[in-house]
Amino acid sequence: MSRQDGGTPGIPETQGDGAATGGSTGGSTGGSTGAPAGARRGRPRSEGVERAVFDAVVGLLDEGVPLAELSIERIARTAGVGKATIYRRWTGKEELFVDLLRSMEPPDPVLSGTSVRGDLVVLLESMRERGVAKRTSSLLHNAFAQMQLYPRLWEVYHHTVIEPRRRLSLDTVRRGMEQGEIRDDLDVEFVNDLLTGPLLLRTVIRPGASLEPGLAERVVDTVMEGLRPRD
């Protein structure tokens, strides 16, 4: 596969020659009562520039351009901005793609912290909404399908998006154990798997399975009924 813009075929690039760098690919942290998204470092972003870059990537993907052929140079040329402008906002293509995907997905939830059951429902409902979004958006479906072919890009997404969401869920389960709403003689990760498993099954393993409204409440109530502290 040939490249016209200097990138390496099949390998997402992280930085161009002579480009300025900024930002961080480190994972954000989230407490039990907030969204897992963290504050960004570096120069404040211009919404107009960010939108132009995102639109350029979306347009190229819609045209059928594979992720492997989307270099920063090509994206900058399509968006009508300089490469340095992009590197001031993102450290490389991986971070840019992750931000684009997050902008297309439903926003991460903010938990009230007042009810463990309520917070778990909010978390699972967010998973359900993301699953529905991926089913109804051909662009999201295509981007995620391609993204998993590139380990470096998938690693960035996993580190900055999936892991913070998982930590938020684990913190909520742990809080339920501490407050006596969930048995504390079980492994926290095992309990979290019991709760998130049905949603993951229906969105990943059985992509045609129903993701009907009310599913989050049904899963949480069913699982928590079996996890109530014993007398």
Side-chain angles (χ1 to χ4, degrees):
M1 183 181 298
S2 63
R3 290 288 301 275
Q4 303 299 321
D5 41 42
T8 304
I11 302 178
E13 67 176 33
T14 55
Q15 186 171 337
D17 294 339
T21 59
S24 170
T25 56
S28 56
T29 57
S32 60
T33 58
R40 306 186 192 280
R41 299 177 182 176
R43 178 175 300 193
R45 296 185 179 179
S46 162
E47 290 186 4
V49 170
E50 186 172 278
R51 189 69 264 161
V53 173
F54 284 171
D55 287 347
V57 177
V58 170
L60 290 167
L61 291 174
D62 275 342
E63 291 172 9
V65 179
L67 287 180
E69 296 182 17
L70 287 183
S71 69
I72 290 296
E73 182 176 351
R74 186 169 188 174
I75 294 168
R77 186 168 61 246
T78 303
V81 302
K83 287 169 60 178
T85 298
I86 293 180
Y87 281 118
R88 280 195 294 268
R89 290 160 174 79
W90 295 279
T91 59
K93 191 167 72 172
E94 292 88 358
E95 189 182 53
L96 192 166
F97 284 155
V98 167
D99 268 3
L100 171 60
L101 289 172
R102 295 191 73 160
S103 75
M104 297 171 64
E105 291 183 316
D108 288 327
V110 176
L111 307 184
S112 69
T114 56
S115 163
V116 170
R117 184 258 180 198
D119 285 348
L120 288 172
V121 169
V122 169
L123 288 169
L124 265 61
E125 175 62 17
S126 179
M127 290 180 64
R128 189 191 72 83
E129 290 175 352
R130 290 195 300 273
V132 171
K134 289 171 188 173
R135 288 183 183 182
T136 56
S137 168
S138 59
L139 181 61
L140 265 178
H141 180 78
N142 177 41
F144 271 94
Q146 290 196 61
M147 185 173 66
Q148 295 181 55
L149 299 175
Y150 305 109
R152 188 164 56 194
L153 179 54
W154 181 250
E155 180 182 358
V156 173
Y157 184 79
H158 190 275
H159 182 62
T160 61
V161 180
I162 296 178
E163 272 303 310
R165 288 171 178 167
R166 180 173 172 275
R167 288 197 299 269
L168 190 60
S169 182
L170 289 171
D171 287 345
T172 304
V173 170
R174 193 173 291 111
R175 181 158 48 91
M177 291 179 172
E178 293 170 352
Q179 295 179 0
E181 296 183 52
I182 298 174
R183 287 171 50 187
D184 61 4
D185 61 328
L186 298 173
D187 178 73
V188 173
E189 294 202 13
F190 173 70
V191 173
N192 188 61
D193 289 346
L194 290 176
L195 290 160
T196 59
L199 273 297
L200 290 174
L201 176 70
R202 295 190 180 204
T203 55
V204 179
I205 300 176
R206 295 175 55 207
S210 175
L211 289 173
E212 72 279 3
L215 178 62
E217 290 93 334
R218 188 149 54 91
V219 170
V220 171
D221 288 342
T222 300
V223 174
M224 288 192 70
E225 179 64 30
L227 295 177
R228 296 190 187 283
R230 296 171 177 173
D231 295 332

